[in-house]
Amino acid sequence: MSSDEGLRRSAITLALAGGVEYGLQLAIPIILVRYLDATAFGQYRLLWLLAGTALAIAPAFMPQSLFYFLPRTEPGQKRLIISNVLVYLIVAGVVVGAAASGWNPLLPETARSLFIQTYGISALFLALWVVASMLDVLPTADGRVRWQANVTIGVALIRTFLLAGAALTTADIAWVAFAMLMVAGLKIALLIYYANTNGEGVKLAWQIATLKKLLAYSLPFALGNALFLIRIQADQWVVASMLSTAQYATFSIAAVFLPVATLVRQPVYNAMMPRLNSAHARGEYAEIARLIANKRRHSASSDTSCRRFACHCSGTGEYYIHQPVSAGCNHHAGLSDRHDDECFRCWARAAFT
């Protein structure tokens, strides 16, 4: 199999897995909105907003640094690289969990209320979710694309069943948060399994020199990545801090469509990075130029499709936000405290049916 054919297959495999995951991710709010009231659904969306912000900052691009270091590292040294990244993520997860706890005086009131109503599960979930983020990168960086795709689809299916089951049987945000905690625990279990069955095994250990090398590489990317992701989330934080949780629930539904561009672009990027760094390590600069040219061609094609999709969704979102949300509703979405729940359900019914 040629290098181009292998890259194409890897990108298609990751794209298909990402498509399935995104479809299931889109299905979850469609299901939950029918069984949770406006406040509980808003708290669910707020928990995911907290998770997105935590992942934008806390991992510091350390998991993605594996794309650079693993292809350049001798087989016997891979365990040390993976272990240092894992140790860093554990420390970062502990910090995130403490910051999201109700004892943090700087925590927004909506997040504090979420912590109380989930009995602290929200903070524990965020801590584990930061550590579990390594599973989203490690198999691909290690060259096991099919394993990555299978895990992505499997975890997405289990997450959908658990969250839908919790909402259907209890309609309680605490149980929904517990289902999310179970998903985070599953990802960590899979991460431990993979790390100990990839030929070398991993023991928790860290080395200052290796950690410095990892941070020196990842921090510049971490800063740019964090600024980009926080810019995307900034409008949601403004709404979440100024309006009630029920009103935020209505606004947050539109955010479900934001990952479309990433869904198309990221598989190509992930499939290319190990090959790009292997070529760089061998000094094959002509191969690097060819791979980058191929990526630009794929990105240009995907950007056109994303713009069309975004224009369609943007027009629909504006209609539902600024107009009466359906023929049977005389309220306006998120503008009346008296009718929060009625408007939310009417808006969601119009948006999802």
Side-chain angles (χ1 to χ4, degrees), residues 37-71:
D37 60 30
T39 300
F41 186 80
Q43 289 175 323
Y44 161 76
R45 293 298 302 164
L46 178 62
L47 183 51
W48 274 121
L49 178 60
L50 287 165
T53 303
L55 289 183
I57 300 173
F61 216 75
M62 288 286 274
Q64 289 80 0
S65 71
L66 295 173
F67 285 125
Y68 178 84
F69 286 103
L70 289 188

Short mmCIF file of all heavy atoms in Angstrom, two decimals, residues 37-71:
data_model
loop_
_atom_site.label_atom_id
_atom_site.label_comp_id
_atom_site.label_asym_id
_atom_site.label_seq_id
_atom_site.Cartn_x
_atom_site.Cartn_y
_atom_site.Cartn_z
N ASP A 37 -36.43 19.24 32.29
CA ASP A 37 -37.02 20.57 32.22
C ASP A 37 -35.93 21.57 31.79
O ASP A 37 -34.76 21.22 31.64
CB ASP A 37 -37.66 20.97 33.54
CG ASP A 37 -36.67 21.00 34.70
OD1 ASP A 37 -35.47 21.27 34.47
OD2 ASP A 37 -37.08 20.73 35.85
N ALA A 38 -36.36 22.81 31.59
CA ALA A 38 -35.44 23.81 31.04
C ALA A 38 -34.22 24.02 31.93
O ALA A 38 -33.09 24.13 31.45
CB ALA A 38 -36.17 25.13 30.83
N THR A 39 -34.43 24.06 33.25
CA THR A 39 -33.31 24.29 34.17
C THR A 39 -32.33 23.12 34.15
O THR A 39 -31.11 23.33 34.08
CB THR A 39 -33.84 24.51 35.60
OG1 THR A 39 -34.70 25.65 35.62
CG2 THR A 39 -32.69 24.73 36.57
N ALA A 40 -32.83 21.89 34.20
CA ALA A 40 -31.96 20.72 34.19
C ALA A 40 -31.19 20.62 32.88
O ALA A 40 -29.99 20.30 32.86
CB ALA A 40 -32.78 19.45 34.43
N PHE A 41 -31.87 20.90 31.76
CA PHE A 41 -31.17 20.85 30.47
C PHE A 41 -30.10 21.94 30.40
O PHE A 41 -29.00 21.71 29.88
CB PHE A 41 -32.17 21.01 29.32
CG PHE A 41 -31.54 20.83 27.97
CD1 PHE A 41 -31.29 19.57 27.46
CD2 PHE A 41 -31.20 21.94 27.20
CE1 PHE A 41 -30.69 19.41 26.21
CE2 PHE A 41 -30.61 21.79 25.96
CZ PHE A 41 -30.36 20.52 25.46
N GLY A 42 -30.42 23.13 30.92
CA GLY A 42 -29.42 24.19 30.96
C GLY A 42 -28.22 23.81 31.80
O GLY A 42 -27.07 24.13 31.45
N GLN A 43 -28.45 23.10 32.91
CA GLN A 43 -27.33 22.65 33.75
C GLN A 43 -26.49 21.60 33.03
O GLN A 43 -25.26 21.58 33.15
CB GLN A 43 -27.87 22.10 35.07
CG GLN A 43 -28.43 23.17 35.99
CD GLN A 43 -29.07 22.59 37.23
OE1 GLN A 43 -29.70 21.53 37.18
NE2 GLN A 43 -28.92 23.28 38.35
N TYR A 44 -27.15 20.74 32.27
CA TYR A 44 -26.42 19.75 31.47
C TYR A 44 -25.53 20.45 30.46
O TYR A 44 -24.35 20.11 30.30
CB TYR A 44 -27.41 18.82 30.78
CG TYR A 44 -26.83 18.06 29.61
CD1 TYR A 44 -25.99 16.97 29.80
CD2 TYR A 44 -27.12 18.45 28.29
CE1 TYR A 44 -25.45 16.29 28.73
CE2 TYR A 44 -26.57 17.77 27.22
CZ TYR A 44 -25.74 16.69 27.43
OH TYR A 44 -25.21 16.02 26.37
N ARG A 45 -26.08 21.45 29.75
CA ARG A 45 -25.28 22.17 28.77
C ARG A 45 -24.17 22.98 29.44
O ARG A 45 -23.07 23.13 28.90
CB ARG A 45 -26.19 23.09 27.96
CG ARG A 45 -27.19 22.38 27.07
CD ARG A 45 -26.52 21.54 26.02
NE ARG A 45 -25.64 22.33 25.17
CZ ARG A 45 -24.70 21.84 24.38
NH1 ARG A 45 -24.48 20.53 24.36
NH2 ARG A 45 -23.96 22.63 23.63
N LEU A 46 -24.44 23.50 30.64
CA LEU A 46 -23.42 24.24 31.39
C LEU A 46 -22.27 23.32 31.78
O LEU A 46 -21.10 23.72 31.73
CB LEU A 46 -24.04 24.88 32.63
CG LEU A 46 -23.06 25.65 33.54
CD1 LEU A 46 -22.44 26.83 32.80
CD2 LEU A 46 -23.77 26.13 34.81
N LEU A 47 -22.59 22.10 32.15
CA LEU A 47 -21.53 21.14 32.51
C LEU A 47 -20.63 20.85 31.32
O LEU A 47 -19.41 20.77 31.46
CB LEU A 47 -22.16 19.85 33.04
CG LEU A 47 -21.19 18.77 33.53
CD1 LEU A 47 -20.18 19.33 34.52
CD2 LEU A 47 -21.96 17.62 34.16
N TRP A 48 -21.23 20.73 30.13
CA TRP A 48 -20.41 20.53 28.93
C TRP A 48 -19.61 21.78 28.59
O TRP A 48 -18.49 21.69 28.06
CB TRP A 48 -21.27 20.12 27.74
CG TRP A 48 -21.53 18.65 27.67
CD1 TRP A 48 -22.73 18.02 27.68
CD2 TRP A 48 -20.54 17.60 27.60
NE1 TRP A 48 -22.57 16.66 27.62
CE2 TRP A 48 -21.24 16.37 27.56
CE3 TRP A 48 -19.15 17.58 27.56
CZ2 TRP A 48 -20.59 15.14 27.49
CZ3 TRP A 48 -18.50 16.36 27.49
CH2 TRP A 48 -19.22 15.16 27.46
N LEU A 49 -20.17 22.96 28.87
CA LEU A 49 -19.40 24.19 28.65
C LEU A 49 -18.20 24.24 29.58
O LEU A 49 -17.09 24.62 29.17
CB LEU A 49 -20.30 25.40 28.88
CG LEU A 49 -19.65 26.78 28.72
CD1 LEU A 49 -19.08 26.97 27.33
CD2 LEU A 49 -20.65 27.89 29.05
N LEU A 50 -18.39 23.86 30.84
CA LEU A 50 -17.27 23.79 31.78
C LEU A 50 -16.23 22.78 31.29
O LEU A 50 -15.01 23.03 31.38
CB LEU A 50 -17.78 23.39 33.16
CG LEU A 50 -18.54 24.46 33.94
CD1 LEU A 50 -19.29 23.83 35.11
CD2 LEU A 50 -17.60 25.55 34.44
N ALA A 51 -16.69 21.64 30.79
CA ALA A 51 -15.77 20.62 30.28
C ALA A 51 -14.99 21.15 29.08
O ALA A 51 -13.77 20.93 28.97
CB ALA A 51 -16.54 19.36 29.91
N GLY A 52 -15.68 21.85 28.18
CA GLY A 52 -14.99 22.40 27.01
C GLY A 52 -13.95 23.44 27.40
O GLY A 52 -12.84 23.47 26.83
N THR A 53 -14.26 24.29 28.37
CA THR A 53 -13.30 25.29 28.82
C THR A 53 -12.11 24.63 29.52
O THR A 53 -10.96 25.05 29.35
CB THR A 53 -13.99 26.29 29.76
OG1 THR A 53 -15.11 26.88 29.09
CG2 THR A 53 -13.03 27.37 30.20
N ALA A 54 -12.41 23.61 30.33
CA ALA A 54 -11.32 22.88 31.01
C ALA A 54 -10.38 22.24 29.99
O ALA A 54 -9.14 22.32 30.14
CB ALA A 54 -11.90 21.83 31.94
N LEU A 55 -10.94 21.63 28.95
CA LEU A 55 -10.10 20.99 27.93
C LEU A 55 -9.36 22.01 27.09
O LEU A 55 -8.31 21.69 26.51
CB LEU A 55 -10.96 20.10 27.03
CG LEU A 55 -11.50 18.82 27.67
CD1 LEU A 55 -12.27 18.00 26.64
CD2 LEU A 55 -10.38 17.97 28.28
N ALA A 56 -9.88 23.22 26.99
CA ALA A 56 -9.19 24.26 26.22
C ALA A 56 -7.94 24.76 26.93
O ALA A 56 -7.01 25.23 26.27
CB ALA A 56 -10.14 25.43 25.96
N ILE A 57 -7.92 24.65 28.26
CA ILE A 57 -6.82 25.24 29.03
C ILE A 57 -5.95 24.20 29.71
O ILE A 57 -4.72 24.18 29.54
CB ILE A 57 -7.39 26.22 30.08
CG1 ILE A 57 -8.18 27.34 29.40
CG2 ILE A 57 -6.27 26.80 30.94
CD1 ILE A 57 -8.91 28.24 30.36
N ALA A 58 -6.57 23.30 30.49
CA ALA A 58 -5.81 22.44 31.40
C ALA A 58 -4.84 21.48 30.73
O ALA A 58 -3.69 21.35 31.20
CB ALA A 58 -6.78 21.67 32.31
N PRO A 59 -5.20 20.78 29.65
CA PRO A 59 -4.23 19.82 29.08
C PRO A 59 -2.99 20.46 28.49
O PRO A 59 -1.98 19.78 28.29
CB PRO A 59 -5.05 19.11 27.98
CG PRO A 59 -6.47 19.29 28.39
CD PRO A 59 -6.53 20.65 29.03
N ALA A 60 -3.05 21.77 28.18
CA ALA A 60 -1.87 22.51 27.68
C ALA A 60 -1.26 21.86 26.45
O ALA A 60 -0.04 21.88 26.27
CB ALA A 60 -0.82 22.66 28.79
N PHE A 61 -2.08 21.26 25.61
CA PHE A 61 -1.63 20.65 24.35
C PHE A 61 -0.68 19.48 24.58
O PHE A 61 -0.03 19.01 23.65
CB PHE A 61 -0.96 21.70 23.46
CG PHE A 61 -1.22 21.50 21.99
CD1 PHE A 61 -2.44 21.81 21.43
CD2 PHE A 61 -0.23 20.98 21.17
CE1 PHE A 61 -2.69 21.62 20.08
CE2 PHE A 61 -0.46 20.79 19.81
CZ PHE A 61 -1.69 21.12 19.27
N MET A 62 -0.60 18.98 25.81
CA MET A 62 0.31 17.87 26.09
C MET A 62 -0.10 16.59 25.37
O MET A 62 0.77 15.89 24.81
CB MET A 62 0.40 17.65 27.60
CG MET A 62 1.16 18.74 28.32
SD MET A 62 2.95 18.64 28.07
CE MET A 62 3.38 17.47 29.37
N PRO A 63 -1.38 16.20 25.34
CA PRO A 63 -1.71 14.98 24.59
C PRO A 63 -1.34 15.10 23.11
O PRO A 63 -0.82 14.15 22.51
CB PRO A 63 -3.24 14.86 24.77
CG PRO A 63 -3.52 15.59 26.04
CD PRO A 63 -2.56 16.73 26.06
N GLN A 64 -1.58 16.28 22.50
CA GLN A 64 -1.26 16.46 21.08
C GLN A 64 0.24 16.45 20.82
O GLN A 64 0.68 16.18 19.70
CB GLN A 64 -1.87 17.76 20.56
CG GLN A 64 -3.38 17.76 20.42
CD GLN A 64 -4.10 17.98 21.74
OE1 GLN A 64 -3.48 18.16 22.80
NE2 GLN A 64 -5.42 18.00 21.70
N SER A 65 1.04 16.73 21.85
CA SER A 65 2.49 16.68 21.66
C SER A 65 2.97 15.26 21.35
O SER A 65 4.07 15.08 20.83
CB SER A 65 3.20 17.21 22.91
OG SER A 65 3.08 16.31 24.01
N LEU A 66 2.13 14.27 21.65
CA LEU A 66 2.48 12.89 21.33
C LEU A 66 2.63 12.69 19.83
O LEU A 66 3.39 11.83 19.38
CB LEU A 66 1.43 11.93 21.88
CG LEU A 66 1.30 11.87 23.41
CD1 LEU A 66 0.12 11.02 23.82
CD2 LEU A 66 2.59 11.34 24.03
N PHE A 67 1.90 13.47 19.02
CA PHE A 67 2.06 13.40 17.57
C PHE A 67 3.49 13.73 17.17
O PHE A 67 4.01 13.19 16.18
CB PHE A 67 1.11 14.38 16.87
CG PHE A 67 -0.33 13.94 16.84
CD1 PHE A 67 -1.32 14.76 17.33
CD2 PHE A 67 -0.69 12.71 16.31
CE1 PHE A 67 -2.65 14.37 17.31
CE2 PHE A 67 -2.00 12.31 16.28
CZ PHE A 67 -2.99 13.15 16.77
N TYR A 68 4.12 14.62 17.91
CA TYR A 68 5.49 15.04 17.59
C TYR A 68 6.52 14.07 18.16
O TYR A 68 7.47 13.69 17.47
CB TYR A 68 5.72 16.44 18.14
CG TYR A 68 7.12 16.98 17.91
CD1 TYR A 68 7.46 17.58 16.70
CD2 TYR A 68 8.10 16.88 18.89
CE1 TYR A 68 8.74 18.07 16.49
CE2 TYR A 68 9.38 17.36 18.69
CZ TYR A 68 9.70 17.96 17.48
OH TYR A 68 10.97 18.44 17.27
N PHE A 69 6.34 13.66 19.41
CA PHE A 69 7.39 12.94 20.10
C PHE A 69 7.39 11.43 19.83
O PHE A 69 8.46 10.83 19.73
CB PHE A 69 7.30 13.19 21.61
CG PHE A 69 7.76 14.56 22.01
CD1 PHE A 69 6.85 15.56 22.32
CD2 PHE A 69 9.11 14.87 22.06
CE1 PHE A 69 7.27 16.83 22.67
CE2 PHE A 69 9.55 16.14 22.41
CZ PHE A 69 8.63 17.12 22.71
N LEU A 70 6.23 10.81 19.74
CA LEU A 70 6.23 9.36 19.58
C LEU A 70 6.90 8.88 18.29
O LEU A 70 7.67 7.91 18.33
CB LEU A 70 4.79 8.82 19.66
CG LEU A 70 4.14 8.87 21.04
CD1 LEU A 70 2.80 8.13 21.04
CD2 LEU A 70 5.04 8.27 22.12
N PRO A 71 6.68 9.53 17.13
CA PRO A 71 7.39 9.07 15.93
C PRO A 71 8.89 9.28 16.00
O PRO A 71 9.65 8.64 15.25
CB PRO A 71 6.77 9.93 14.81
CG PRO A 71 5.46 10.38 15.33
CD PRO A 71 5.69 10.58 16.79
#
